[in-house]
Amino acid sequence: MQRLETLPLVLDHQTFFQSPSDIIPRNIPASAFLDGGEISLIYGPLHAGKTSFLKQIAGLFQGVKIYINFEDSRFKELEPEGFQEIEEIAVEVCRKRSESEEEPDEKPDGKPDEKSDGKPDEKSGKEGPAYYFLDEILNVPGWESWVDRLQRDGARVFITSSFANPMSQEVFSRFADRIKVLKLLPFSFKEYLTMRELRVPKPDRLTPSRCDEMLCLFLHYFENGGFPDVIKNGDSRLSRQYFEETLQKGIIARQNIQDPEGLKRLAVFLISNMASEYSLDTLKKASRIDSEDTVRSYLDYLEEAFLLYRVPMFNHISQISENGEEKEVPCKVYAGDTGFFKTVYPNYPDSLGLRFENLVFLELLRQGKQVSYFRGRRECDFLISEKDSQTVTAAVQVSVYFGSPAVREREVLGLMAAMEEYGLNEGLILTMDDEGAMEIEGRDGEKRKIIINSVWKWMLE
C-alpha cells in the first residue's frame, strides 16, 4: 500500500472519530485510563460499543489523537512497513489540524510570545503526547512490534478486539505488566435507561407508580437485549444481523469452518435452549455433526466470539469413564445477549424462566464475578467465588415467579443446600417483582437469612 493510498484512509478515520456523536457514558469509569502508561485492551462482542467507549476515553485527553479502524477492508493489504507510514501521516495530519484550531498567544503589545522551545506545554496540552486508538488491530499481522514500540516511546495506546481470547499466551507474556484489560459487554439496565435519556433512580426511593414504570422499561430491556443500536433504533432485528455477522466474520471466515451449517445449527440450538446443561451426544444430534472433537472446537469458537458462555458446575469431581478417559465437566450454556432468543429462532417455544436466569448471569458477568453453579441433591443457579479461588462468597437463586408454595419450597431448599455446603449465612433469591426476607433453620440447626429481591431493583443498585 503506497503512502498516497494510505493518506485518504487515515483522513477518513480521523474525520469519523472526531465527528460529534451522542456517546452514552458506560458504567465503567473511563477516568481509570488516565493514570499509568500501559497499553489498554478493550474487548467484547461485535456492536457492544467499543468504538464509542474509545471516543469517551479520548475526550479525557489533550494532545495528538490518532484513530484507525483496522476492520476497514482497505487495510487488508497492509505490509509491516505500512504501520510506520500510518504513524507519520496520522501525526502530521493531527498536528496540522491542532495548529489550525489554535490562535497564537500574544503579549499585551500584540506580538506573539517569543517562548517556543518545542517542548510540550503540560498546562495547555499543546504538543502533548500522542494517543493511539486502534480498533481491531489484532487482526493485522505484525501489530505487536508496532504497538510495543509506540508504548515504549511514550505514546498511550488503546486497542480493541471482538474476541474473548484475542492474544496468544506468547504475545500476552510479551507485554506482561504493560497491559490493562477491560471486558465491555452490551448495555446494562442502568445504561439502557441512560440511553433512553431517563434518570437512573435509587431503588429504595421509588414510588409505586415509578416502580410500575421501571418494571415496564425493564421488560422491554429484557426482551430486546442490551446492544446499543438495538436500543437506540428500537429495532430488535439488528440482533439477528449481529448473530449472522458474528458467525460469518468472527468464526466461519476466521477459523476456515468446513461445516458452516453445522456450526449455525449448534449455535441456534444452544441459544434457543439457553441456561441449560447438555451432553456432547445431545449437541451432536442437534447440530448433525458426527465428530465430538468438532463439536468441542465449535463450542470454543462460539464462546470466543461472545455468542455464548459456558459455566461449570462448582467443585465437580472428575470421573473416569470405562475406557479410562476423563468425563466432561458438566456445564450450563448461556447466550451472549437475551435479545438473541426471539430473533435467532423466533418460533421456538419460549422458556421465560431460562431467559430470566440468562439475564442474571450476564449481569453477574458485567460485575466481574466468577460464576459457577451448584448441584447436589438440590440445585442452586449461581455460586459466586473469588477470582482463581475455591472460596464461595455468595449464592444466588433465580425464580421468575415466587408466589407458588411449590416453587418457593424448591428454590429455598436449593439455595439452603448451597449455603450449608459452603458455610454461607445469607443467600439471595431474584424474582420478577417479589421482595422480602426470611430466616430458615438449616439441618445443622443454624438459622440463615434469605433476601428476596426483584431483579430490576437489584440491577439498579
Side-chain angles (χ1 to χ4, degrees):
M1 183 178 286
Q2 300 297 317
R3 183 183 176 91
L4 289 177
E5 295 174 344
T6 308
L7 178 60
L9 298 187
V10 174
L11 289 173
D12 284 352
H13 288 206
Q14 305 329 299
T15 300
F16 160 76
F17 197 63
Q18 295 177 19
S19 63
S21 60
D22 297 327
I23 298 175
I24 305 301
R26 303 301 300 259
N27 266 2
I28 301 160
S31 57
F33 293 92
L34 283 172
D35 299 327
E38 304 99 333
I39 298 163
S40 297
L41 167 63
I42 299 155
Y43 72 106
L46 286 169
H47 304 289
K50 297 185 291 296
T51 302
S52 293
F53 190 61
L54 287 184
K55 286 188 175 186
Q56 184 181 340
I57 295 170
L60 301 173
F61 297 109
Q62 289 185 335
V64 177
K65 303 172 189 177
I66 299 112
Y67 170 78
I68 301 289
N69 180 6
F70 288 93
E71 286 262 271
D72 190 324
S73 61
R74 293 174 291 179
F75 281 112
K76 66 182 179 181
E77 298 178 1
L78 186 71
E79 300 292 336
E81 59 270 17
F83 289 122
Q84 182 64 34
E85 281 190 5
I86 289 173
E87 184 180 349
E88 292 171 357
I89 292 171
V91 171
E92 181 182 344
V93 168
C94 290
R95 281 190 174 151
K96 283 183 177 179
R97 178 173 295 175
S98 178
E99 289 168 4
S100 69
E101 291 172 352
E102 295 175 352
E103 295 294 332
D105 294 332
E106 295 188 351
K107 291 184 175 182
D109 60 6
K111 295 180 181 180
D113 193 333
E114 294 177 359
K115 181 187 177 185
S116 179
D117 56 8
K119 295 180 181 178
D121 182 341
E122 293 183 1
K123 292 183 180 179
S124 67
K126 296 177 185 176
E127 298 184 24
Y131 300 91
Y132 286 82
F133 301 91
L134 309 173
D135 256 337
E136 303 295 345
I137 191 175
L138 278 69
N139 296 332
V140 182
W143 68 270
E144 304 97 324
S145 296
W146 185 48
V147 168
D148 192 6
R149 182 179 60 75
L150 288 174
Q151 195 266 344
R152 290 187 185 278
D153 287 348
R156 292 294 304 276
V157 184
F158 301 85
I159 59 180
T160 70
S161 174
S162 297
F163 302 98
N165 299 304
M167 296 184 186
S168 66
Q169 189 59 48
E170 179 183 353
V171 173
F172 202 86
S173 298
R174 174 177 182 169
F175 295 109
D177 298 331
R178 295 184 293 130
I179 192 164
K180 182 185 297 184
V181 180
L182 169 71
K183 182 187 289 186
L184 194 73
L185 299 178
F187 277 17
S188 66
F189 183 44
K190 283 183 180 179
E191 291 166 333
Y192 165 84
L193 294 175
T194 302
M195 176 166 267
R196 294 282 300 268
E197 299 182 346
L198 297 168
R199 182 176 57 84
V200 178
K202 299 288 185 183
D204 57 347
R205 298 181 184 177
L206 290 167
T207 63
S209 61
R210 187 81 165 125
C211 282
D212 291 341
E213 179 188 358
M214 283 296 110
L215 179 57
C216 289
L217 288 164
F218 166 76
L219 291 173
H220 186 272
Y221 165 77
F222 176 38
E223 285 292 316
N224 295 289
F227 284 109
D229 280 347
V230 172
I231 298 168
K232 183 178 180 180
N233 300 311
D235 187 356
S236 61
R237 293 172 299 179
L238 286 172
S239 66
R240 172 71 189 204
Q241 294 179 26
Y242 298 164
F243 170 78
E244 298 284 354
E245 181 184 350
T246 303
L247 279 181
Q248 184 59 49
K249 185 167 68 174
I251 304 178
I252 294 170
R254 189 167 182 258
Q255 302 290 350
N256 193 24
I257 297 298
Q258 300 302 305
D259 184 7
E261 288 303 314
L263 171 71
K264 186 173 181 178
R265 284 191 294 268
L266 179 64
V268 169
F269 174 79
L270 290 168
I271 288 174
S272 302
N273 295 274
M274 58 181 66
S276 299
E277 185 182 291
Y278 297 103
S279 67
L280 280 172
D281 284 341
T282 300
L283 298 183
K284 284 169 60 180
K285 290 176 184 176
S287 62
R288 287 177 250 162
I289 298 172
D290 294 331
S291 167
E292 285 191 0
D293 289 340
T294 300
V295 171
R296 288 192 187 96
S297 294
Y298 285 4
L299 284 170
D300 290 340
Y301 300 151
L302 290 166
E303 188 164 19
E304 185 179 328
F306 298 100
L307 282 177
L308 58 81
Y309 298 89
R310 284 173 290 184
V311 173
M313 184 192 300
F314 185 80
N315 208 20
H316 174 72
I317 300 174
S318 298
Q319 297 178 353
I320 305 300
S321 61
E322 293 179 1
N323 59 8
E325 295 180 356
E326 188 174 316
K327 291 184 178 180
E328 296 285 327
V329 174
C331 288
K332 282 188 178 182
V333 178
Y334 293 91
D337 186 74
T338 55
F340 283 145
F341 182 85
K342 72 176 187 178
T343 57
V344 168
Y345 197 166
N347 297 322
Y348 196 84
D350 194 359
S351 178
L352 184 61
L354 296 182
R355 280 199 296 129
F356 195 66
E357 184 179 326
N358 204 125
L359 177 88
V360 172
F361 165 74
L362 291 174
E363 183 61 21
L364 290 170
L365 205 61
R366 282 189 198 91
Q367 295 174 10
K369 306 296 187 184
Q370 181 169 285
V371 182
S372 57
Y373 68 98
F374 169 78
R375 191 177 67 206
R377 292 179 57 249
R378 305 280 181 177
E379 185 169 333
C380 180
D381 295 320
F382 299 113
L383 295 178
I384 313 301
S385 54
E386 296 179 2
K387 287 290 184 183
D388 304 316
S389 167
Q390 293 294 296
T391 303
V392 176
T393 57
V396 181
Q397 194 76 296
V398 181
S399 179
V400 182
Y401 303 113
F402 198 59
S404 161
V407 170
R408 291 174 72 91
E409 181 181 14
R410 182 187 70 228
E411 304 297 354
V412 167
L413 289 176
L415 182 60
M416 284 291 292
M419 292 164 65
E420 291 175 352
E421 181 76 18
Y422 300 107
L424 302 174
N425 295 319
E426 184 174 300
L428 174 66
I429 296 178
L430 293 171
T431 72
M432 185 67 80
D433 206 28
D434 292 289
E435 296 175 16
M438 58 177 70
E439 275 195 347
I440 306 290
E441 185 175 312
R443 292 175 299 174
D444 55 4
E446 294 288 330
K447 287 191 175 181
R448 291 177 168 82
K449 185 176 183 179
I450 294 177
I451 305 295
I452 304 157
N453 198 3
S454 57
V455 71
W456 57 270
K457 284 188 177 180
W458 172 73
M459 294 178 79
L460 291 176
E461 292 175 354

